[in-house]
Each structure stands twice: as C-alpha cells, then as structure tokens.
Amino acid sequence: MKRILPLVLVLLLTACGVRPTDGVISAGPAPAFPGRNQTEMTLYFLLDGRIYPITRATPGVASPESTLRAVVSGPNDEERRRGLDSAVPRSSKVAYNDQLTVFLPVPLADLPKTALDQLSCTTVTSGLWGNLRVVGTDAATSDLVGCPTF
C-alpha cells in the first residue's frame, strides 16, 4: 500500500496540465473532396458484365457532378474498344439541388442492378458517401450508399 500511494499521487499531479474547454471546438466546414483535388476521375463501367473501375483525365478539377455526367455519357471510343460498356441509360440527367440526383428515363424497377452499382461506386470514389439519389420515371427513388465492390 505504501508503494501504491506515491504512484497515485504522481499520476494525479501529472494530469493537472490539461485544462477543460468550453464545449466543442468547430473545425469549420468539411472539404468538398477530402484529399481529392485532382484532374482525374474514377468511373465505373462494365467489363464482361461486371463492374470495373477506370481512370479518365478531366480538363479541370473533377467534381461529383462532372464525374456522374461522365458515367451517364458512357465509355468513350477507346474504352469501348477495350470492351467497356454501361448499364446506365445515356439519356439520364444529373442535377444538384440540395442533393446530387440522377434522373433516369426508365422506371427504377427496370434498371439493372449493375447500373445502380456503377452510379454508387462512382459517387463513393468522387468523395461522396451516400449522397446520391436516383429517380425513375415511375417516381420511385433510391438513395445509394456505399459500393458493393469495397
């Protein structure tokens, strides 16, 4: 017991240098692209019917909207020659109004799961986790979260 008392006193005295704060200290707004200020984008297309990531250069900084528009546009000629394809309808529209949204030209129930995976994975790699809403012509909506390949 005599050995423990000095140890307890030392521990108590060394902890006195930390002063309490007046609550939570704000770190400011979160960055739009955590560590992603780049001129390349990762897009998810299909190769042999399976989801497949590619990297494409952009003329400026890649944003979530420009990245999704690139997925909606589908593979370019070189990517098609390599066998890439897309299940996302090319006439889909990307919009941002308080939430990033893809408006599909088909009922949501008719869209292949691979199309939703393409959109979801592309959103995740652009720095947005779970911030994409997909809307079909049947007014059905789906909020996509995560990527099945991660």
Side-chain angles (χ1 to χ4, degrees), residues 1-148:
M1 186 69 173
K2 288 183 182 182
R3 290 182 183 172
I4 295 176
L5 184 59
L7 180 59
V8 171
L9 287 174
V10 168
L11 289 174
L12 287 174
L13 291 174
T14 58
C16 291
V18 178
R19 300 199 174 156
T21 61
D22 294 330
V24 177
I25 299 172
S26 173
F33 303 100
R36 307 271 307 176
N37 192 11
Q38 60 190 27
T39 57
E40 291 183 334
M41 59 177 89
T42 301
L43 308 173
Y44 282 81
F45 291 119
L46 301 177
L47 181 63
D48 297 327
R50 299 173 75 176
I51 192 162
Y52 185 81
I54 63 141
T55 301
R56 188 188 288 176
T58 64
V61 175
S63 71
E65 290 170 84
S66 65
T67 303
L68 282 171
R69 283 190 181 101
V71 168
V72 166
S73 296
N76 60 29
D77 291 338
E78 177 203 341
E79 294 159 352
R80 284 194 186 284
R81 280 192 294 275
R82 292 186 349 212
L84 295 171
D85 197 6
S86 179
V88 177
R90 285 185 162 221
S91 56
S92 300
K93 303 292 182 212
V94 178
Y96 184 82
N97 187 6
D98 295 328
Q99 178 160 12
L100 195 54
T101 305
V102 175
F103 294 94
L104 302 165
V106 297
L108 192 57
D110 293 348
L111 194 69
K113 182 183 179 315
T114 52
L116 294 175
D117 292 347
Q118 283 181 253
L119 294 169
S120 182
C121 291
T122 299
T123 302
V124 167
T125 58
S126 72
L128 297 174
W129 282 84
N131 290 325
L132 178 65
R133 175 163 288 157
V134 179
V135 180
T137 56
D138 54 357
T141 63
S142 178
D143 292 333
L144 302 182
V145 178
C147 176

